[in-house]
Amino acid sequence: MQLTRKGLWDGVIKEFRKFLPEIDDDCIVTLREGNTPLIEAVNLKDIFGAIRVLLKYEGLNPTGSFKDRGMTLAVSKAKEEGARAVLCASTGNTSASCAAYASKAGLKAYVLVPEGSIALGKLSQAIMHGAVVLQIRGSFDEALSIVKEISKNYPVKMVNSINPYRIEGQKTAAFEVCEHLGYAPTYHFLPVGNAGNITAYWQGYREYESYGIISSLPKMMGFQAEGAAPIVLGHPVDNPQTVASAIRIGNPASWQGALKARDESGGVIETVTDEEILESYRLLASREGIFCEPASAASLAGAIRMKKEGVLSDGDTIVCTLTGHGLKDPDTAIRTSPKPLQVEPDIKKILKIMGF
Ligand code: AN7
């Protein structure tokens, strides 16, 4: 017998190098992010009929969310530029990713998070990776404006998605979708919070088209939670509310990028309710074997809504990005589910419950 593969996945910088800003080999900080599976949703045919539905499961990145794609580049560049510290505001996943990559790079990390409204798994990651975690008695949007101000005036590199290297890294997810499918999907559905990801995917698809690698472009379909939908409303929201804490954002940094993705692609940015988000969250876990975090399920919730509204057609290929892992937020899973049964250690009683 022989080894079947000479090299394993090298992380997004090395794998997609020719499409990314140049970076010195010695400065690359990677946890071998990317190469996430595109999984066929085989058990949603009762909802989608002859529409082909694929799930890009970004929860399988090293820190459990898509943020790692951009963070590898942002932190590598920070290292190359000689930074000693990185800084971000976050609804949770950016802080987890920033903390992990900073630890790998030997940089100090400062993360500002809204107190009491980030999921437990994400907080535990930021703490474990040794970031200085500052819980702000305020919103994500307030934290982000403080971070912008500090990074303007002090020697610390901001790694929020306003940092262009974040978007550059995140666009590799669109490349992977094309590589897997052999073409671009008809529609690409995404949750929208700070709007960096929809901006990045659109950039990625456009680049692959400009190189002649794909010949058509998807319509970009972004979904905000109804209580946190500034782009849909057309103005910032002061006190955004949604069960999907990752996208509880009232004034997205990449607002213009999202509008551009929507308008150039002929897509939409619309809302889904918390009920729709939780329903899709449960569907994915109970039928497709995929546990994603609530915000991620906004993509599928949007697709279901578009199907109901007659926007999608038979034969379409749609991709829904599932941005983060369900284990990030065990509280929401448990809080929104029936309690597990309790039973005595008695085999007869257990068999009875099992229906035997
Ligand atoms: C699981 O971590 O903004 O529209 O600070 O964690 O690119 O912001 C997270 C956002 C979707 C929205 N799904 O993406 C942060 C943060 C998950 C997320 C989004 C986020 P963007």
Side-chain angles (χ1 to χ4, degrees):
M1 295 278 265
Q2 279 186 324
L3 293 172
T4 53
R5 261 203 78 165
K6 285 209 199 72
L8 294 175
W9 183 260
D10 260 338
V12 299
I13 294 179
K14 286 192 178 165
E15 295 287 343
F16 294 108
R17 205 156 198 173
K18 54 179 181 275
F19 304 103
L20 295 172
E22 270 179 45
I23 180 148
D24 203 70
D25 260 355
D26 298 339
C27 297
I28 295 176
V29 181
T30 181
L31 294 166
R32 310 245 169 174
E33 58 295 312
N35 197 24
T36 58
L38 191 62
I39 302 168
E40 192 106 30
V42 290
N43 297 318
L44 302 179
K45 291 219 168 16
D46 56 326
I47 302 169
F48 287 99
I51 295 160
R52 185 175 179 209
V53 181
L54 295 140
L55 308 164
K56 179 72 172 156
Y57 190 19
E58 289 285 277
L60 294 187
N61 275 298
T63 78
S65 85
F66 71 98
K67 304 286 182 184
D68 296 341
R69 293 179 184 277
M71 206 56 74
T72 181
L73 208 67
V75 169
S76 298
K77 277 289 178 186
K79 194 176 163 187
E80 195 178 60
E81 290 162 14
R84 307 285 286 278
V86 289
L87 166 72
C88 69
S90 180
T91 59
N93 279 325
T94 299
S95 69
S97 186
C98 165
Y101 283 81
S103 79
K104 186 86 176 172
L107 302 177
K108 192 154 183 124
Y110 300 94
V111 306
L112 272 64
V113 298
E115 185 176 29
S117 66
I118 86 163
L120 207 63
K122 305 173 187 181
L123 184 60
S124 69
Q125 288 176 289
I127 293 169
M128 281 300 291
H129 292 302
V132 176
V133 179
L134 300 166
Q135 306 198 70
I136 305 297
R137 284 187 207 101
S139 66
F140 165 81
D141 302 289
E142 289 170 288
L144 183 60
S145 57
I146 292 168
V147 159
K148 281 193 212 164
E149 200 56 37
I150 293 175
S151 66
K152 245 191 268 164
N153 301 312
Y154 295 88
V156 44
K157 199 84 199 162
M158 181 178 47
V159 295
N160 279 101
S161 56
I162 308 156
N163 178 325
Y165 297 122
R166 281 277 313 280
I167 305 289
E168 288 287 330
Q170 281 175 213
K171 76 186 180 188
T172 60
F175 296 165
E176 286 180 20
V177 169
C178 300
E179 299 286 346
H180 277 132
L181 280 174
Y183 48 89
T186 332
Y187 293 91
H188 195 120
F189 289 83
L190 288 159
V192 173
N194 223 12
N197 214 25
I198 193 167
T199 303
Y201 268 91
W202 182 237
Q203 192 176 319
Y205 282 123
R206 288 256 315 249
E207 284 180 22
Y208 256 30
E209 191 213 28
S210 75
Y211 291 115
I213 301 170
I214 53 171
S215 56
S216 66
L217 289 165
K219 292 184 165 56
M220 301 304 296
M221 311 293 274
F223 288 84
Q224 302 201 288
E226 199 172 67
I231 299 176
V232 181
L233 294 170
H235 58 78
V237 172
D238 274 343
N239 186 20
Q241 290 301 334
T242 166
V243 68
S245 61
I247 53 172
R248 201 177 286 158
I249 293 173
N251 191 11
S254 299
W255 194 315
Q256 292 311 317
L259 295 183
K260 189 166 165 273
R262 179 193 68 186
D263 298 340
E264 290 181 2
S265 74
V268 303
I269 297 181
E270 290 189 8
T271 60
V272 283
T273 65
D274 278 7
E275 290 67 38
E276 289 174 298
I277 289 173
L278 289 175
E279 195 188 310
S280 291
Y281 173 62
R282 308 205 73 77
L283 264 179
L284 287 163
S286 62
R287 289 212 212 159
E288 294 294 338
I290 297 178
F291 189 21
C292 67
E293 64 172 287
S296 305
S299 60
L300 180 66
I304 293 174
R305 183 176 277 202
M306 289 299 104
K307 165 66 186 163
K308 282 186 185 150
E309 290 179 8
V311 173
L312 311 180
S313 311
D314 287 358
D316 283 348
T317 297
I318 73 168
V319 173
C320 298
T321 296
L322 304 178
T323 44
H325 202 291
L327 289 173
K328 293 272 192 178
D329 187 4
D331 288 337
T332 300
I334 291 170
R335 191 165 37 79
T336 60
S337 302
K339 275 215 175 70
L341 300 173
Q342 284 181 318
V343 59
E344 302 302 316
D346 173 338
I347 194 160
K348 283 202 196 102
K349 286 185 183 159
I350 292 170
L351 284 168
K352 194 168 166 228
I353 293 171
M354 291 170 74
F356 294 119

